[in-house]
Amino acid sequence: QLQVQESGPGLVKTSETLSLTCTVSGGSISSSRYFWGWIRQPPAKGLQWIGNIYSSGNTYYTPSLNSRVTITADASKNQVSLRLNSVTAADTAVYYCARTLGYCSATSCAEAFDIWGQGTMVTVSS
Amino acid sequence: DIQMTQSPSSLSASVGDRVTITCRASHNINKQLNWYQQTPGKAPNLLIYGASNLYNGVPSRFSGSGSGADFTLTISGLQPEDFATYYCQQSSSSLRTFGQGTKVEIK
């Protein structure tokens, strides 16, 4: 059973870099069958997709964070990492790592976040 | 990027009620639409993929419909464990987006 676990500092100072790691067990992050995403949720707010990384190494980021975010993968450690530069209080959130897998039925196909980590709370403060 | 708009933002209902949540996309996303359920303090759980397909283990009282830009999530016979926040999410674009969420509260 594939499992996902986020880790990293719970407190980051304003203007510094937020760095989180997603450790995957029970499966390889390099499989071409699926890919990986980061999603965040500010306190009492909704979900915001941050970005995805594919087995090819290609990445896609939400436009509002594109200039500050980097997602990388380390196959030797079976980890996916998130870096967010120049953080402010607005980056305070629970950060989730999730697997994306394509699902098909007789009528439709879609790629969905099917396995999520428990999330890690990051507070940005001076 | 594709904007996803859910309505209502919140609703109150009783156990046994039928509840419908709508999600509208700013562009045609065919059936590339997923629904998630989130309870407080927990990660979201996948409910429905491809607009209308139940994910593994999801009770049959949940159903989804729609295509193009308009979608609905229906819960037929609300159970106590269904009081939660529900999100739609499109996977048509490489730039994924979520709806703002609909909170289902106990009346």
Side-chain angles (χ1 to χ4, degrees):
Chain A
Q1 178 77 357
L2 190 142
Q3 293 184 315
V4 174
Q5 177 73 58
E6 305 90 347
S7 59
L11 181 64
V12 180
K13 291 184 183 249
T14 303
S15 79
E16 295 189 348
T17 297
L18 180 160
S19 295
L20 298 175
T21 299
C22 171
T23 300
V24 177
S25 58
S28 170
I29 65 165
S30 302
S31 172
S32 59
R33 294 179 58 235
Y34 43 76
F35 52 97
W36 301 92
W38 285 95
I39 300 101
R40 71 180 184 179
Q41 186 170 34
K45 292 190 177 181
L47 301 169
Q48 180 187 25
W49 174 75
I50 299 172
N52 285 343
I53 185 165
Y54 294 76
S55 57
S56 62
N58 288 345
T59 54
Y60 293 89
Y61 304 124
T62 191
S64 63
L65 298 176
N66 187 63
S67 63
R68 297 195 292 129
V69 66
T70 304
I71 297 175
T72 57
D74 186 336
S76 66
K77 297 181 179 178
N78 223 33
Q79 292 177 335
V80 179
S81 295
L82 171 73
R83 285 175 59 89
L84 185 63
N85 302 326
S86 305
V87 297
T88 69
D91 297 309
T92 294
V94 175
Y95 285 77
Y96 295 101
C97 175
R99 184 182 80 165
T100 301
L101 183 62
Y103 286 87
C104 286
S105 68
T107 57
S108 62
C109 293
E111 295 174 336
F113 297 110
D114 65 337
I115 299 177
W116 295 64
Q118 65 185 25
T120 186
M121 180 67 200
V122 179
T123 301
V124 178
S125 175
S126 57
Chain B
D1 50 342
I2 298 174
Q3 306 301 317
M4 307 299 293
T5 303
Q6 287 181 235
S7 61
S9 297
S10 65
L11 63 90
S12 296
S14 300
V15 172
D17 283 353
R18 177 186 174 95
V19 167
T20 298
I21 299 167
T22 65
C23 177
R24 174 164 289 179
S26 61
H27 297 76
N28 182 349
I29 59 171
N30 295 306
K31 292 188 175 185
Q32 309 290 302
L33 190 283
N34 307 310
W35 289 98
Y36 300 85
Q37 176 194 63
Q38 186 181 33
T39 53
K42 300 291 188 180
N45 289 315
L46 177 63
L47 285 179
I48 288 174
Y49 65 91
S52 60
N53 304 290
L54 286 185
Y55 183 58
N56 299 338
V58 174
S60 59
R61 63 181 179 273
F62 291 92
S63 63
S65 65
S67 65
D70 292 307
F71 302 88
T72 60
L73 172 69
T74 300
I75 311 172
S76 301
L78 202 62
Q79 296 299 301
E81 60 268 30
D82 301 336
F83 292 96
T85 301
Y86 295 85
Y87 295 91
C88 62
Q89 175 249 326
Q90 63 80 19
S91 60
S92 174
S93 165
S94 296
L95 306 184
R96 313 298 197 199
T97 43
F98 288 90
Q100 81 278 18
T102 296
K103 186 174 184 179
V104 177
E105 299 175 297
I106 302 173
K107 183 183 287 185

